[in-house]
Amino acid sequence: MRTPRIDIDIRKITHNIQQLKKLYGAKGIEITGVTKLIGGNPKIAAVLVDNGIQILADSRIDNIKRMIKDGVKAQYLLLRTPSLSQIEEVVAYADISLNSELKILKELSKCALIRHTIHKVILMVELGDLREGIMPIDIDNTVKEILELKGINFIGIGSNFACYGGISPDVNKMNELSSLAIRLENKFKISLTIVSGGNSSNYNWFKSSKNIGRINNLRLGESIFLGRETLCRKAIPNLYTDAFTLITEIIEAKIKPSKPYGKVYQNGNGKIKKFKDKGEMNRGILAIGRQDVAISGIIPRQDISILGASSDHIMIDNTRSNLKVGDTVEFSLKYKALLRALNSSYIAKNIIN
Ligand SMILES: *Cc1c(COP(=O)(O)O)cnc(C)c1O
């Protein structure tokens, strides 16, 4: 089978979804499945839906289109605030979007009216991580205006954490979101169907809280696919962290010096590097490079180490494993490496189990 490829273990992903549904469901939290990591891969998305995930969320409208085109039946949520230049596509393909700008909401409204449809919106509230969200002080005025927009159904509020600022969704932040939801419901005589507390970083808060207030939704990507919470990147008990495996192939294996020789200038990455002379060594080259994965985010499952990489090659220390040309090397992937690899057209995606 061709390399490089990523083996995607559907049985492990299924297990993770079922465990997370049980865990969060026990206190009334529904899971929105976040598909941006898998680039909207319809086969994997279908597994989420088959296991009872009703809303699929992605930051890119192209990924949503891909899943719809392949017949994955779900409600689709656009995670990143719509761009003004994409309003028509957003209303055409996404049932729900996360929003933080009235200017954009007004355009969504206009477009929904023209298309004779209703577009659902969740208003994101800034609670300290400083990515998307409206400042709490501006909420009341904004909600008042949203409620006057035709073609728009205001279904909830949400917050996001641990993305830009690394801020934790702790009990204070979640209480703030809860109180806000209750206050808006009372003041405007509305009922919010979704109060979305955050993402995979909400695990610690959830585990340590008896009373989770009005929070009834989390948007999970990394926990489902990599089995981790994201504040400390600890494995969540009983989940698989190895559902994805990167498989690469040795295209050169030779005994060579450990130190480059000749006059030293910039290398392919624009760096002037220093090397230690450790004598001759068993070196290997893998047919994959920086263009395909984030080298810092891949961890070998065999006894080799990465010496360096260029756009299309990774050089490894092959001393302990003595791998031959044609042998494969397997890697685990961290989030960023997996994101890039799954979205690289040069890497085959192979569903197993
Ligand atoms: C990516 C994203 C998520 C999912 O985050 P994970 O850490 O993968 O669970 C949730 N919400 C928003 C707004 C996102 O952009």
Side-chain angles (χ1 to χ4, degrees):
M1 191 177 281
R2 69 160 286 191
T3 70
R5 69 173 187 274
I6 294 188
D7 280 355
I8 303 164
D9 191 328
I10 287 294
R11 190 180 56 81
K12 290 181 177 174
I13 294 172
T14 302
H15 171 90
N16 285 1
I17 300 165
Q18 288 170 349
Q19 291 290 314
L20 287 164
K21 276 202 70 170
K22 206 156 70 180
L23 173 78
Y24 285 112
K27 293 184 205 165
I29 286 191
E30 205 156 333
I31 295 170
T32 290
V34 175
T35 53
K36 67 189 180 207
L37 179 61
I38 54 165
N41 182 308
K43 288 204 188 94
I44 310 174
V47 172
L48 304 197
V49 174
D50 290 344
N51 283 282
I53 301 281
Q54 288 169 353
I55 305 178
L56 294 180
D58 207 292
S59 46
R60 316 240 164 186
I61 202 72
D62 287 338
N63 288 346
I64 291 178
K65 279 162 82 169
R66 183 179 173 200
M67 292 183 278
I68 293 173
K69 194 164 150 268
D70 265 66
V72 184
K73 294 269 178 293
Q75 281 206 73
Y76 285 97
L77 185 156
L78 183 66
L79 281 173
R80 187 170 62 185
T81 301
S83 311
L84 276 181
S85 60
Q86 287 186 344
I87 295 293
E88 277 170 20
E89 278 188 309
V90 173
V91 173
Y93 295 101
D95 304 286
I96 315 166
S97 58
L98 301 185
N99 284 272
S100 60
E101 287 288 352
L102 202 51
K103 182 172 178 182
I104 291 169
L105 284 155
K106 285 179 179 165
E107 292 306 312
L108 289 169
S109 161
K110 271 191 217 157
C111 184
L113 274 180
I114 292 169
R115 298 182 67 96
H116 301 290
T117 182
I118 301 283
H119 183 73
K120 296 178 201 159
V121 301
I122 294 172
L123 191 59
M124 293 301 277
V125 185
E126 178 59 66
L127 290 180
D129 196 57
L130 293 190
R131 205 179 65 184
E132 71 274 43
I134 170 167
M135 293 302 287
I137 191 164
D138 297 321
I139 296 262
D140 289 43
N141 284 337
T142 308
V143 167
K144 188 165 168 276
E145 293 210 46
I146 294 176
L147 291 173
E148 283 162 11
L149 294 175
K150 300 222 165 63
I152 292 287
N153 186 3
F154 175 49
I155 62 163
I157 60 174
S159 54
N160 195 59
F161 292 92
C163 277
Y164 172 71
I167 300 301
S168 157
D170 60 16
V171 65
N172 291 332
K173 303 282 186 193
M174 288 300 99
N175 285 349
E176 193 178 344
L177 189 67
S178 265
S179 312
L180 202 55
I182 294 164
R183 202 171 58 66
L184 290 175
E185 289 184 323
N186 291 336
K187 177 165 177 179
F188 293 102
K189 309 269 181 293
I190 52 176
S191 110
L192 298 175
T193 39
I194 292 184
V195 182
S196 189
N199 50 37
S200 294
S201 70
N202 285 60
Y203 175 78
N204 295 341
W205 156 77
F206 177 83
K207 285 294 278 182
S208 61
S209 303
K210 270 216 182 73
N211 181 359
I212 56 161
R214 272 289 275 114
I215 312 299
N216 65 7
N217 175 279
L218 290 175
R219 311 172 305 271
L220 302 183
E222 188 157 347
S223 293
I224 294 176
F225 298 114
L226 288 170
R228 293 180 188 279
E229 55 80 33
T230 53
L231 284 185
C232 309
R233 290 245 151 39
K234 285 215 182 82
I236 295 174
N238 303 319
L239 295 195
Y240 289 108
T241 56
D242 59 351
F244 296 85
T245 305
L246 174 66
I247 297 166
T248 64
E249 186 177 322
I250 305 251
I251 53 172
E252 181 186 298
K254 289 187 196 309
I255 307 294
K256 286 189 179 182
S258 49
K259 188 173 186 225
Y261 47 96
K263 291 212 177 84
V264 180
Y265 283 87
Q266 290 184 7
N267 70 6
N269 301 317
K271 302 234 167 70
I272 297 174
K273 283 185 75 174
K274 289 213 167 71
F275 296 87
K276 265 206 193 108
D277 192 352
K278 299 186 222 159
E280 295 216 306
M281 70 188 291
N282 186 340
R283 301 168 68 94
I285 299 180
L286 301 173
I288 186 170
R290 293 188 188 280
Q291 186 175 183
D292 311 292
V293 287
I295 306 299
S296 60
I298 61 175
I299 306 135
R301 292 196 191 151
Q302 280 141 273
D303 195 8
I304 59 108
S305 50
I306 295 176
L307 297 168
S310 59
S311 306
D312 302 302
H313 304 76
I314 293 180
M315 274 59 72
I316 63 166
D317 181 344
N318 190 23
T319 310
R320 297 176 303 276
S321 292
N322 193 27
L323 299 164
K324 308 291 185 220
V325 168
D327 285 350
T328 55
V329 178
E330 298 191 354
F331 295 88
S332 298
L333 301 108
K334 295 184 190 173
Y335 187 89
K336 200 173 64 177
L338 185 57
L339 180 69
R340 200 185 299 171
L342 285 175
N343 286 296
S344 163
S345 57
Y346 300 106
I347 299 184
K349 288 95 196 170
N350 179 41
I351 306 250
I352 59 173
N353 291 326

Coordinates of all heavy atoms in Angstrom, one line a residue, residues 3-81:
T3 N 2.7 4.8 0.4 CA 3.1 5.7 1.5 C 3.5 7.0 0.9 O 3.8 7.1 -0.3 CB 4.3 5.2 2.3 OG1 5.5 5.3 1.5 CG2 4.1 3.7 2.8
P4 N 3.5 8.2 1.6 CA 3.1 8.3 3.0 C 1.6 8.2 3.1 O 0.9 8.6 2.1 CB 3.6 9.6 3.4 CG 3.7 10.4 2.2 CD 4.0 9.4 1.1
R5 N 1.1 7.6 4.2 CA -0.4 7.6 4.4 C -0.7 7.7 5.8 O 0.2 7.5 6.7 CB -0.9 6.3 3.8 CG -0.6 5.0 4.6 CD -1.3 3.8 4.1 NE -1.1 2.7 4.9 CZ -0.1 1.8 4.8 NH1 0.8 2.0 3.8 NH2 0.1 0.8 5.6
I6 N -1.9 8.0 6.1 CA -2.4 8.0 7.5 C -3.4 6.9 7.6 O -4.4 6.9 6.9 CB -3.0 9.4 7.9 CG1 -1.9 10.4 7.8 CG2 -3.7 9.3 9.2 CD1 -2.3 11.7 8.4
D7 N -3.2 6.0 8.5 CA -4.2 5.0 8.8 C -5.1 5.6 9.9 O -4.7 6.1 10.9 CB -3.5 3.7 9.4 CG -3.0 2.8 8.2 OD1 -3.2 3.2 7.1 OD2 -2.3 1.8 8.5
I8 N -6.4 5.5 9.6 CA -7.4 6.1 10.5 C -8.3 4.9 11.0 O -9.0 4.3 10.3 CB -8.3 7.1 9.7 CG1 -7.4 8.1 9.0 CG2 -9.4 7.7 10.6 CD1 -8.1 8.9 7.9
D9 N -8.1 4.7 12.3 CA -8.8 3.6 13.0 C -10.2 4.0 13.4 O -10.4 4.6 14.5 CB -7.9 3.1 14.2 CG -8.4 1.7 14.7 OD1 -9.7 1.5 14.6 OD2 -7.6 1.0 15.2
I10 N -11.2 3.6 12.6 CA -12.5 4.0 12.8 C -13.1 3.4 14.1 O -13.9 4.0 14.8 CB -13.4 3.5 11.6 CG1 -13.1 4.4 10.4 CG2 -14.9 3.5 11.9 CD1 -13.5 5.9 10.6
R11 N -12.6 2.2 14.4 CA -13.1 1.5 15.7 C -12.7 2.3 16.9 O -13.5 2.5 17.8 CB -12.5 0.1 15.8 CG -13.1 -0.8 16.9 CD -12.4 -2.1 16.8 NE -11.0 -2.0 17.0 CZ -10.3 -1.9 18.2 NH1 -11.0 -1.8 19.3 NH2 -9.0 -1.8 18.2
K12 N -11.5 2.9 16.9 CA -11.0 3.7 18.0 C -11.8 5.0 18.1 O -12.1 5.5 19.2 CB -9.5 3.9 17.9 CG -8.7 2.6 18.2 CD -7.2 2.9 18.1 CE -6.5 1.5 18.4 NZ -5.1 1.6 18.3
I13 N -12.0 5.6 16.9 CA -12.8 6.9 16.9 C -14.2 6.7 17.4 O -14.7 7.4 18.3 CB -12.7 7.5 15.5 CG1 -11.3 7.9 15.2 CG2 -13.7 8.7 15.5 CD1 -11.1 8.4 13.7
T14 N -14.8 5.6 17.0 CA -16.1 5.2 17.4 C -16.2 5.1 19.0 O -17.0 5.6 19.6 CB -16.6 3.9 16.8 OG1 -16.5 4.1 15.4 CG2 -18.0 3.5 17.2
H15 N -15.2 4.3 19.5 CA -15.1 4.1 20.9 C -15.0 5.5 21.7 O -15.7 5.7 22.6 CB -13.9 3.3 21.3 CG -13.5 3.2 22.7 ND1 -14.0 2.2 23.5 CD2 -12.8 4.0 23.5 CE1 -13.6 2.4 24.8 NE2 -12.8 3.5 24.8
N16 N -14.2 6.4 21.2 CA -14.0 7.7 21.8 C -15.3 8.5 21.8 O -15.7 9.1 22.8 CB -12.9 8.5 21.1 CG -11.5 8.0 21.4 OD1 -11.3 7.0 22.2 ND2 -10.5 8.7 20.9
I17 N -16.0 8.5 20.7 CA -17.3 9.2 20.6 C -18.2 8.6 21.7 O -18.9 9.4 22.4 CB -18.0 9.1 19.2 CG1 -17.1 9.6 18.1 CG2 -19.3 9.8 19.2 CD1 -17.5 9.2 16.8
Q18 N -18.4 7.3 21.7 CA -19.3 6.7 22.6 C -19.0 7.0 24.1 O -19.9 7.3 24.8 CB -19.4 5.2 22.4 CG -20.0 4.8 21.0 CD -19.9 3.4 20.6 OE1 -19.1 2.6 21.3 NE2 -20.7 3.0 19.6
Q19 N -17.7 7.0 24.4 CA -17.3 7.3 25.8 C -17.6 8.7 26.1 O -18.1 9.0 27.2 CB -15.8 7.0 25.9 CG -15.4 5.5 25.9 CD -15.9 4.8 27.1 OE1 -15.7 5.2 28.2 NE2 -16.5 3.6 26.9
L20 N -17.2 9.6 25.2 CA -17.4 11.1 25.4 C -18.9 11.4 25.5 O -19.3 12.2 26.4 CB -16.8 11.9 24.3 CG -15.2 11.9 24.4 CD1 -14.6 12.5 23.1 CD2 -14.7 12.8 25.6
K21 N -19.7 10.7 24.7 CA -21.2 11.0 24.8 C -21.7 10.6 26.2 O -22.5 11.2 26.8 CB -21.9 10.2 23.7 CG -21.9 10.9 22.4 CD -23.0 10.4 21.5 CE -24.4 10.8 22.0 NZ -25.5 10.6 21.1
K22 N -21.2 9.4 26.6 CA -21.7 8.9 27.9 C -21.2 9.9 29.0 O -22.0 10.2 29.9 CB -21.1 7.5 28.2 CG -21.9 6.6 29.1 CD -21.7 5.2 28.8 CE -20.3 4.7 29.3 NZ -20.0 3.3 29.1
L23 N -20.0 10.2 29.0 CA -19.4 11.1 30.0 C -20.2 12.5 30.1 O -20.7 12.8 31.1 CB -17.9 11.4 29.7 CG -17.2 12.4 30.6 CD1 -16.8 11.8 31.9 CD2 -15.9 12.9 29.9
Y24 N -20.2 13.2 29.0 CA -20.8 14.5 29.0 C -22.3 14.4 29.1 O -23.0 15.3 29.7 CB -20.3 15.3 27.7 CG -18.9 15.8 27.8 CD1 -17.9 15.3 27.0 CD2 -18.6 16.8 28.8 CE1 -16.6 15.8 27.1 CE2 -17.3 17.2 28.9 CZ -16.3 16.7 28.1 OH -15.0 17.2 28.2
G25 N -22.9 13.4 28.5 CA -24.3 13.2 28.5 C -24.9 13.0 29.9 O -26.0 13.4 30.2
A26 N -24.0 12.5 30.8 CA -24.5 12.2 32.2 C -24.9 13.5 32.9 O -25.7 13.4 33.8 CB -23.3 11.5 32.9
K27 N -24.3 14.6 32.5 CA -24.7 15.9 33.1 C -25.5 16.8 32.1 O -25.6 18.0 32.3 CB -23.5 16.6 33.7 CG -22.8 15.9 34.9 CD -21.7 16.7 35.5 CE -20.7 15.8 36.2 NZ -19.4 16.5 36.4
G28 N -26.0 16.2 31.1 CA -26.8 16.9 30.2 C -26.1 17.8 29.1 O -26.7 18.7 28.6
I29 N -24.9 17.4 28.8 CA -24.2 18.2 27.8 C -24.2 17.4 26.5 O -23.8 16.2 26.4 CB -22.7 18.5 28.2 CG1 -22.8 19.6 29.3 CG2 -21.9 18.9 27.0 CD1 -21.4 20.2 29.6
E30 N -24.6 18.1 25.4 CA -24.6 17.5 24.1 C -23.3 17.9 23.4 O -22.8 19.0 23.6 CB -25.8 18.0 23.3 CG -26.2 17.1 22.2 CD -27.7 17.2 21.8 OE1 -28.5 17.7 22.7 OE2 -28.0 16.9 20.7
I31 N -22.8 16.9 22.6 CA -21.6 17.2 21.9 C -21.8 17.6 20.4 O -22.5 16.9 19.7 CB -20.7 15.9 22.0 CG1 -20.3 15.6 23.4 CG2 -19.4 16.1 21.1 CD1 -19.6 14.3 23.6
T32 N -21.2 18.7 20.1 CA -21.1 19.0 18.7 C -19.8 18.5 18.1 O -18.8 18.7 18.8 CB -21.2 20.6 18.5 OG1 -22.5 21.0 18.8 CG2 -20.9 21.0 17.1
G33 N -19.8 17.7 17.0 CA -18.6 17.1 16.5 C -17.8 18.1 15.6 O -18.4 18.5 14.6
V34 N -16.6 18.4 15.9 CA -15.8 19.4 15.2 C -15.0 18.6 14.1 O -14.1 17.8 14.5 CB -15.0 20.3 16.1 CG1 -14.1 21.2 15.3 CG2 -15.9 21.1 17.0
T35 N -15.2 18.9 12.9 CA -14.6 18.2 11.8 C -13.4 18.9 11.1 O -12.9 18.3 10.1 CB -15.6 17.9 10.7 OG1 -16.3 19.1 10.3 CG2 -16.7 16.9 11.2
K36 N -13.0 20.0 11.6 CA -11.9 20.7 10.9 C -10.6 20.0 10.9 O -9.8 20.1 9.9 CB -11.7 22.2 11.4 CG -11.2 22.2 12.8 CD -11.3 23.6 13.3 CE -10.7 23.7 14.7 NZ -11.3 24.8 15.5
L37 N -10.3 19.2 11.9 CA -9.1 18.4 12.0 C -9.0 17.4 10.9 O -8.0 17.2 10.3 CB -9.0 17.7 13.4 CG -7.8 16.8 13.6 CD1 -6.5 17.7 13.6 CD2 -7.9 16.1 15.0
I38 N -10.2 16.8 10.5 CA -10.2 15.8 9.5 C -10.6 16.4 8.1 O -10.9 15.6 7.2 CB -11.2 14.7 9.9 CG1 -12.6 15.2 10.2 CG2 -10.7 13.9 11.1 CD1 -13.7 14.2 10.3
G39 N -10.5 17.7 8.0 CA -10.8 18.4 6.7 C -12.2 18.0 6.2 O -12.4 18.0 5.0
G40 N -13.1 17.7 7.1 CA -14.5 17.4 6.6 C -14.5 16.0 5.9 O -15.4 15.8 5.1
N41 N -13.6 15.2 6.2 CA -13.6 13.8 5.5 C -14.9 13.1 5.8 O -15.3 12.8 6.9 CB -12.5 13.0 6.2 CG -12.4 11.6 5.5 OD1 -13.3 10.9 5.5 ND2 -11.2 11.3 5.1
P42 N -15.7 12.9 4.7 CA -17.1 12.4 4.8 C -17.2 11.0 5.5 O -18.1 10.8 6.2 CB -17.6 12.3 3.4 CG -16.6 13.1 2.6 CD -15.3 13.1 3.3
K43 N -16.2 10.2 5.3 CA -16.3 8.8 5.9 C -16.2 8.9 7.4 O -16.9 8.2 8.1 CB -15.2 7.9 5.3 CG -15.4 7.5 3.9 CD -14.7 6.2 3.6 CE -14.7 5.9 2.1 NZ -13.5 6.4 1.3
I44 N -15.3 9.8 7.9 CA -15.1 9.9 9.3 C -16.3 10.7 9.9 O -16.8 10.3 10.9 CB -13.8 10.6 9.7 CG1 -12.6 9.9 8.9 CG2 -13.6 10.6 11.2 CD1 -11.3 10.6 9.1
A45 N -16.7 11.7 9.2 CA -17.9 12.5 9.6 C -19.1 11.6 9.8 O -19.9 11.7 10.7 CB -18.2 13.6 8.7
A46 N -19.3 10.7 8.9 CA -20.4 9.8 8.9 C -20.4 8.9 10.2 O -21.5 8.6 10.7 CB -20.5 8.9 7.6
V47 N -19.2 8.6 10.6 CA -19.1 7.8 11.8 C -19.6 8.6 13.0 O -20.3 8.0 13.9 CB -17.6 7.4 12.1 CG1 -17.5 6.7 13.4 CG2 -17.2 6.4 11.0
L48 N -19.3 9.9 13.1 CA -19.8 10.7 14.2 C -21.3 10.7 14.2 O -22.0 10.5 15.2 CB -19.3 12.2 14.0 CG -17.8 12.4 14.0 CD1 -17.5 13.9 14.2 CD2 -17.0 11.6 14.9
V49 N -21.9 10.9 13.0 CA -23.4 11.0 12.8 C -24.0 9.6 13.2 O -25.0 9.6 13.9 CB -23.8 11.4 11.4 CG1 -25.3 11.3 11.2 CG2 -23.3 12.8 11.1
D50 N -23.4 8.5 12.7 CA -23.9 7.2 13.1 C -23.9 6.9 14.6 O -24.7 6.1 15.0 CB -23.1 6.1 12.4 CG -23.3 6.1 10.9 OD1 -24.3 6.7 10.4 OD2 -22.5 5.5 10.1
N51 N -23.1 7.6 15.3 CA -23.0 7.4 16.7 C -23.8 8.5 17.5 O -23.5 8.8 18.7 CB -21.6 7.3 17.2 CG -21.0 6.0 16.9 OD1 -21.2 5.0 17.6 ND2 -20.2 5.9 15.8
G52 N -24.7 9.2 16.8 CA -25.6 10.0 17.5 C -25.2 11.5 17.6 O -25.9 12.3 18.3
I53 N -24.1 11.9 16.9 CA -23.8 13.3 16.9 C -24.7 14.0 15.9 O -24.7 13.6 14.7 CB -22.3 13.5 16.5 CG1 -21.4 12.8 17.5 CG2 -22.0 15.0 16.4 CD1 -21.1 13.5 18.8
Q54 N -25.4 15.0 16.4 CA -26.4 15.6 15.5 C -25.9 16.9 14.8 O -26.4 17.2 13.7 CB -27.7 16.0 16.3 CG -28.5 14.7 16.6 CD -29.6 14.9 17.7 OE1 -29.7 16.0 18.2 NE2 -30.3 13.9 17.9
I55 N -25.0 17.6 15.4 CA -24.5 18.8 14.8 C -23.0 18.6 14.5 O -22.2 18.2 15.3 CB -24.6 20.0 15.7 CG1 -26.0 20.2 16.1 CG2 -24.1 21.3 15.0 CD1 -26.2 21.4 17.1
L56 N -22.6 18.8 13.2 CA -21.2 18.8 12.8 C -20.7 20.2 12.6 O -21.4 21.0 11.9 CB -21.0 18.0 11.5 CG -21.3 16.5 11.6 CD1 -21.1 15.8 10.2 CD2 -20.5 15.8 12.6
A57 N -19.6 20.5 13.1 CA -19.1 21.9 13.0 C -17.8 22.0 12.4 O -16.9 21.1 12.6 CB -19.0 22.5 14.4
D58 N -17.6 22.9 11.5 CA -16.3 23.1 10.8 C -16.0 24.6 10.7 O -16.9 25.4 10.6 CB -16.3 22.4 9.5 CG -14.9 22.0 9.1 OD1 -14.0 22.9 8.8 OD2 -14.6 20.8 9.0
S59 N -14.7 25.0 10.7 CA -14.4 26.4 10.5 C -14.4 26.8 9.0 O -14.4 28.0 8.7 CB -13.0 26.6 11.1 OG -12.1 25.6 10.7
R60 N -14.4 25.8 8.1 CA -14.3 26.1 6.7 C -15.6 25.7 6.0 O -16.0 24.5 6.1 CB -13.1 25.4 6.1 CG -11.9 25.5 6.9 CD -10.8 26.2 6.2 NE -9.8 26.6 7.2 CZ -8.7 27.3 6.9 NH1 -8.5 27.7 5.7 NH2 -7.8 27.6 7.8
I61 N -16.1 26.6 5.2 CA -17.4 26.3 4.5 C -17.1 25.2 3.4 O -18.0 24.4 3.1 CB -18.0 27.6 3.8 CG1 -19.4 27.4 3.5 CG2 -17.2 28.0 2.6 CD1 -20.3 27.3 4.7
D62 N -15.9 25.2 2.9 CA -15.5 24.1 1.9 C -15.6 22.7 2.5 O -16.1 21.8 1.8 CB -14.1 24.3 1.3 CG -14.1 25.5 0.4 OD1 -15.1 25.9 -0.2 OD2 -13.0 26.1 0.2
N63 N -15.2 22.6 3.7 CA -15.3 21.3 4.4 C -16.8 20.9 4.6 O -17.2 19.7 4.4 CB -14.6 21.3 5.7 CG -13.1 21.3 5.6 OD1 -12.6 21.1 4.5 ND2 -12.4 21.6 6.7
I64 N -17.6 21.9 4.9 CA -19.1 21.6 5.1 C -19.7 21.2 3.8 O -20.4 20.2 3.7 CB -19.8 22.9 5.7 CG1 -19.3 23.1 7.1 CG2 -21.3 22.8 5.6 CD1 -19.9 24.3 7.9
K65 N -19.3 21.9 2.7 CA -19.8 21.5 1.4 C -19.5 20.1 1.0 O -20.3 19.4 0.4 CB -19.3 22.5 0.3 CG -20.0 23.8 0.3 CD -19.2 24.9 -0.4 CE -19.3 24.9 -2.0 NZ -18.7 26.1 -2.5
R66 N -18.2 19.8 1.3 CA -17.7 18.4 1.0 C -18.6 17.3 1.7 O -19.0 16.3 1.1 CB -16.3 18.3 1.5 CG -15.6 17.0 1.1 CD -14.2 17.0 1.6 NE -13.6 15.6 1.4 CZ -12.6 15.2 2.0 NH1 -11.9 15.9 2.9 NH2 -12.1 13.9 1.8
M67 N -18.9 17.6 3.0 CA -19.7 16.6 3.7 C -21.1 16.5 3.2 O -21.7 15.4 3.1 CB -19.6 16.9 5.2 CG -18.3 16.7 5.9 SD -18.2 17.0 7.6 CE -18.1 18.8 7.7
I68 N -21.7 17.6 2.9 CA -23.0 17.6 2.4 C -23.1 16.9 1.0 O -23.9 16.1 0.8 CB -23.6 19.1 2.2 CG1 -23.7 19.7 3.6 CG2 -24.9 19.1 1.4 CD1 -24.1 21.2 3.6
K69 N -22.1 17.2 0.2 CA -22.0 16.6 -1.2 C -21.9 15.1 -1.1 O -22.5 14.4 -1.9 CB -20.8 17.2 -1.9 CG -20.8 17.0 -3.4 CD -19.8 17.9 -4.1 CE -19.3 17.2 -5.3 NZ -18.0 16.5 -5.1
D70 N -21.2 14.6 -0.1 CA -21.1 13.2 0.1 C -22.2 12.6 0.9 O -22.1 11.4 1.3 CB -19.7 12.9 0.8 CG -18.7 12.6 -0.3 OD1 -18.3 13.5 -1.0 OD2 -18.2 11.4 -0.4
G71 N -23.3 13.3 1.1 CA -24.5 12.7 1.7 C -24.4 12.5 3.2 O -25.2 11.7 3.7
V72 N -23.6 13.2 3.9 CA -23.6 13.1 5.4 C -24.7 13.9 6.0 O -24.7 15.2 5.8 CB -22.2 13.5 6.0 CG1 -22.2 13.3 7.5 CG2 -21.1 12.7 5.3
K73 N -25.7 13.3 6.6 CA -26.9 14.0 7.0 C -26.7 14.5 8.5 O -26.7 13.7 9.4 CB -28.1 13.0 7.0 CG -28.5 12.6 5.6 CD -29.5 13.6 5.0 CE -29.9 13.2 3.5 NZ -28.7 13.3 2.6
A74 N -26.6 15.8 8.6 CA -26.4 16.4 9.9 C -26.9 17.8 9.9 O -27.2 18.3 8.8 CB -25.0 16.3 10.4
Q75 N -26.9 18.5 11.0 CA -27.1 19.9 11.0 C -25.6 20.5 10.9 O -24.7 20.0 11.7 CB -27.7 20.4 12.3 CG -29.2 20.3 12.4 CD -29.7 21.3 13.3 OE1 -29.8 22.5 13.0 NE2 -30.1 20.8 14.5
Y76 N -25.4 21.4 10.1 CA -24.0 22.0 9.9 C -23.9 23.3 10.6 O -24.7 24.2 10.4 CB -23.6 22.0 8.5 CG -23.4 20.6 7.9 CD1 -24.3 19.9 7.3 CD2 -22.1 20.0 8.2 CE1 -24.1 18.6 6.8 CE2 -21.9 18.7 7.8 CZ -22.8 18.0 7.1 OH -22.6 16.7 6.7
L77 N -22.8 23.4 11.3 CA -22.5 24.7 12.0 C -21.2 25.2 11.6 O -20.2 24.5 11.5 CB -22.4 24.4 13.6 CG -22.2 25.6 14.5 CD1 -22.8 25.2 15.9 CD2 -20.8 26.0 14.7
L78 N -21.1 26.5 11.1 CA -19.9 27.1 10.8 C -19.3 27.7 12.0 O -19.8 28.6 12.6 CB -20.1 28.2 9.7 CG -18.9 28.9 9.2 CD1 -18.0 27.9 8.4 CD2 -19.2 30.1 8.3
L79 N -18.0 27.2 12.3 CA -17.4 27.6 13.6 C -16.8 29.0 13.5 O -16.7 29.7 14.5 CB -16.3 26.6 13.9 CG -16.6 25.3 14.5 CD1 -15.3 24.5 14.5 CD2 -17.2 25.4 15.9
R80 N -16.2 29.3 12.4 CA -15.5 30.6 12.3 C -16.5 31.6 11.8 O -17.3 31.4 10.9 CB -14.3 30.5 11.3 CG -13.5 31.8 11.3 CD -12.2 31.6 10.5 NE -12.5 31.3 9.1 CZ -11.5 31.0 8.2 NH1 -10.2 30.9 8.6 NH2 -11.8 30.7 7.0
T81 N -16.5 32.8 12.4 CA -17.4 33.9 12.0 C -17.4 34.0 10.5 O -16.3 34.1 9.9 CB -17.0 35.2 12.7 OG1 -17.0 35.0 14.1 CG2 -18.0 36.3 12.3

